[in-house]
Every structure is written in structure tokens, then in C-alpha cells.
Amino acid sequence: IIWQKERSKGYEYYIQAEKIAFEQAEPILSHLKFQFYSSEKIQGNSQVTVGGKLSAFAPPKNPGEWDQKSYFKGKNIYYQLKKAEIEKMEAAEPNLWQRLQDWVRRQSGRYLPEKEKGLFLSLFAGDRSGLDQEITENFKKTGVSHVLAVSGLHVGLLALLLNLVLKKLPLPYAVQFGIIMTALLFFTAFTGGQASTVRAVLMFGILQGSYFFNRAKEPKTAYLLTLLLLLLYNPFYLYDIGFLLSFISVGAILFLYPFLLAGKPKYVQIIGLTVIIQVALLPISSVFFHYFSLSAVLANLWIVPAISYFLGIG
């Protein structure tokens, strides 16, 4: 089991196969990933034997419908199991990431009530399995659901904290860069390698790594190069909502903010930046969620600073 989420009528799972058997044939080794639903809850580090009918994801039947097939291609999943039945289940030896995630869950459970624990794990560890449904809906309705995903905000805060510490040590720039990048890559793996996190870490690496090539830090160049590299790696990222939200919001900051707000008073820049980002995200919100929150501008003005403070403490 590599991912799970509670749904209204059970649970949705992603599994990575070790062996696949068709009918009565001998099992073959495989690393394919599959999606299926089940009414039974499975522990995250379990090994399971699942039987079901193999099916490809259907393309949309009408224009504007959710493109399930392309969405799952972005996650490197090409098949689902229908009428899935869990035939055997046993706890597997947890790997390093699972042990670390279990430790974080236990520690947060010691200090936080259940609802707050679910919110903290979503923000800090990218684990949305325990997130309260009411909180999720409230964040969606107010247009601030983006803060529930691990993204550039997390990467930026982590890099800033590490940089503040390392600046006080007599270390060469190359060593400092290596330590920060190692920590960011570790954090990316720990939080599940979400597209928005990968974007932020890659862009940070390109920007900071420009020092070794005697190049000035060019955020726009780093942004475009990161976009090119990720789409070359996986063109179906274009159907990943986290990827789109991340790149469009950062693109609005880099390209529209200087053009529209340069030289304006500080308070105009702060409010204007929020408005620019929300307008830029309007098409994505309309396509994926079929609505746009008018309260999003006001909500984002205070939620981002508040979440930054909360994450720093976390």
C-alpha cells in the first residue's frame, strides 16, 4: 500500500505490485501501480494480496469532465482494480520513511487533539489520511485549500531555517549548499514527492547552484528551466492539480507582480499580489472545482502568514 484515503463509502488505495498473476498463470514480477476501492481499512505498511478485474481508466465522455485517465497517468498509474477483494493481509517490515512517519504521528498524537493532529500532519508531513472532512470543505470553500498541500512555502521555510543556522558556521558555500539540498531532498521523499514540492526543490537547487557556474540568480530562468525539466520527465504533470497551482501561482509572482505593482506602496503590493494570484488561478479553480471563492482574497491575506508561523513552530 503506497497511498490511502478515506472516502464516503470506504477507502481508496494505491498499491505497488510485487507480483501479478492472471487467472491460474504463474505470478510474474512487477512494479506496476494500481488504484482500487475497498470497504476494508488496511494499515499503510501492510503487504496485501488483492484480487479483482483489471481495467484501464476511462477517458472523459463529455467535454469539460474530469479526465480520470490523464490524472492517474500523472501519478504513473495506468490501471485500476474493479470489484477488488482483499484476499490476504499481513503487516510488512516498515521502511525508513514509514518508521519516521509513524514516529511523527505518535508524537503529534501525544500533544494534539485528533482534529488538530490531522491538520498538523497534512501541513507538516503531507499526510492527509487523518484530515477532518469538515476542515477540508471549509478550506475549499474559502479558496485556501492550497495551504493543505506540501509546497514551496514548506521548502522555503525549511531552506530559510537551515540557512540561518549554517551562516553562523565556518563552512564553505559548497558544503552549506550540499547540506541544505540533502535536507530538502529528504523532506521531499518524506512527504511523498508531491509535484509542488519537487518543483520548489528543483527551482531552489537551480537558483542556488548558479553560483558554481558564475551565473547571477535569475528566478525567471530557474522557473522556466524547472518547468521544462519536469514536463520532460512526466508530461502528464499537466493534469496534476498541485503542479498547476504551484507553477501558476509562482509564475504570477515572477511575471505579473513586477509588471503591475512595481513602485506601488507596500500595502498595495501585498493586497495586489494576493489578487493577482487568485485571478491567475481562476481558470484552474473553475475547471477542477467548478467554482471560485470571492472570499479567497481576504482569506489568503491572513492565512499564509498564519500558516507560515504555524509551520515554523512545527
Side-chain angles (χ1 to χ4, degrees):
I1 300 292
I2 56 175
W3 183 87
Q4 64 180 21
K5 185 171 179 62
E6 187 172 0
R7 299 297 187 188
S8 56
K9 296 183 179 179
Y11 298 88
E12 180 183 3
Y13 296 103
Y14 300 165
I15 55 173
Q16 182 163 309
E18 292 184 355
K19 294 179 181 178
I20 300 176
F22 293 95
E23 300 293 340
Q24 302 301 317
E26 286 294 313
I28 57 173
L29 295 176
S30 172
H31 293 290
L32 281 174
K33 297 176 183 177
F34 302 89
Q35 181 257 9
F36 72 95
Y37 294 94
S38 173
S39 59
E40 191 171 349
K41 185 172 184 180
I42 307 171
Q43 294 300 319
N45 61 343
S46 296
Q47 285 186 316
V48 295
T49 303
V50 184
K53 182 181 178 182
L54 194 65
S55 173
F57 292 102
K61 295 179 180 178
N62 296 298
E65 269 189 350
W66 180 52
D67 192 340
Q68 183 187 46
K69 187 175 182 179
S70 296
Y71 171 81
F72 278 104
K73 277 185 180 178
K75 298 180 179 295
N76 203 24
I77 299 176
Y78 294 83
Y79 302 98
Q80 63 181 160
L81 292 173
K82 291 189 173 180
K83 299 180 180 178
E85 293 184 3
I86 298 166
E87 299 172 358
K88 184 181 177 183
M89 178 169 55
E90 56 186 37
E93 189 67 27
N95 59 32
L96 172 64
W97 309 119
Q98 290 166 340
R99 287 179 180 178
L100 187 57
Q101 287 167 345
D102 287 343
W103 180 81
V104 171
R105 288 191 194 98
R106 288 197 304 273
Q107 294 302 313
S108 57
R110 288 176 62 186
Y111 302 109
L112 295 170
E114 195 64 28
K115 185 180 284 191
E116 284 75 10
K117 172 189 170 184
L119 178 59
F120 174 79
L121 289 174
S122 174
L123 291 165
F124 179 70
D127 178 7
R128 302 181 70 169
S129 58
L131 192 60
D132 185 78
Q133 197 64 33
E134 183 183 353
I135 290 178
T136 305
E137 286 302 314
N138 287 340
F139 271 68
K140 278 185 180 179
K141 287 175 183 176
T142 48
V144 294
S145 57
H146 60 89
V147 302
L148 295 175
V150 177
S151 63
L153 177 63
H154 301 67
V155 172
L157 280 170
L158 183 56
L160 178 64
L161 290 170
L162 289 169
N163 191 48
L164 289 173
V165 173
L166 293 172
K167 274 200 310 186
K168 300 182 182 299
L169 302 176
L171 296 173
Y173 180 82
V175 176
Q176 294 184 30
F177 176 78
I179 292 172
I180 293 175
M181 285 305 299
T182 300
L184 293 181
L185 290 171
F186 183 89
F187 178 73
T188 303
F190 171 69
T191 54
Q194 298 177 34
S196 54
T197 317
V198 174
R199 189 275 309 160
V201 172
L202 184 55
M203 190 170 168
F204 176 85
I206 292 171
L207 273 173
Q208 299 302 117
S210 61
Y211 168 86
F212 300 106
F213 299 95
N214 294 317
R215 299 282 185 178
K217 293 180 182 178
E218 288 286 349
K220 293 178 182 177
T221 304
Y223 170 86
L224 294 172
L225 182 56
T226 301
L227 178 63
L228 175 64
L229 290 174
L230 287 179
L231 289 180
L232 283 173
Y233 170 71
N234 185 355
F236 290 99
Y237 270 150
L238 285 173
Y239 294 91
D240 185 296
I241 181 65
F243 177 90
L244 292 173
L245 291 174
S246 178
F247 266 98
I248 290 173
S249 56
V250 173
I253 294 170
L254 290 176
F255 293 96
L256 296 179
Y257 172 73
F259 177 70
L260 296 174
L261 298 172
K264 303 290 184 184
K266 196 68 178 177
Y267 72 93
V268 174
Q269 290 184 359
I270 294 172
I271 297 173
L273 179 59
T274 305
V275 173
I276 286 171
I277 293 173
Q278 293 306 311
V279 172
L281 294 177
L282 175 58
I284 301 301
S285 303
S286 302
V287 169
F288 281 89
F289 305 126
H290 304 295
Y291 69 84
F292 180 73
S293 172
L294 293 174
S295 63
V297 174
L298 291 175
N300 276 278
L301 281 174
W302 68 267
I303 193 69
V304 173
I307 289 296
S308 302
Y309 180 74
F310 182 58
L311 286 173
I313 295 172

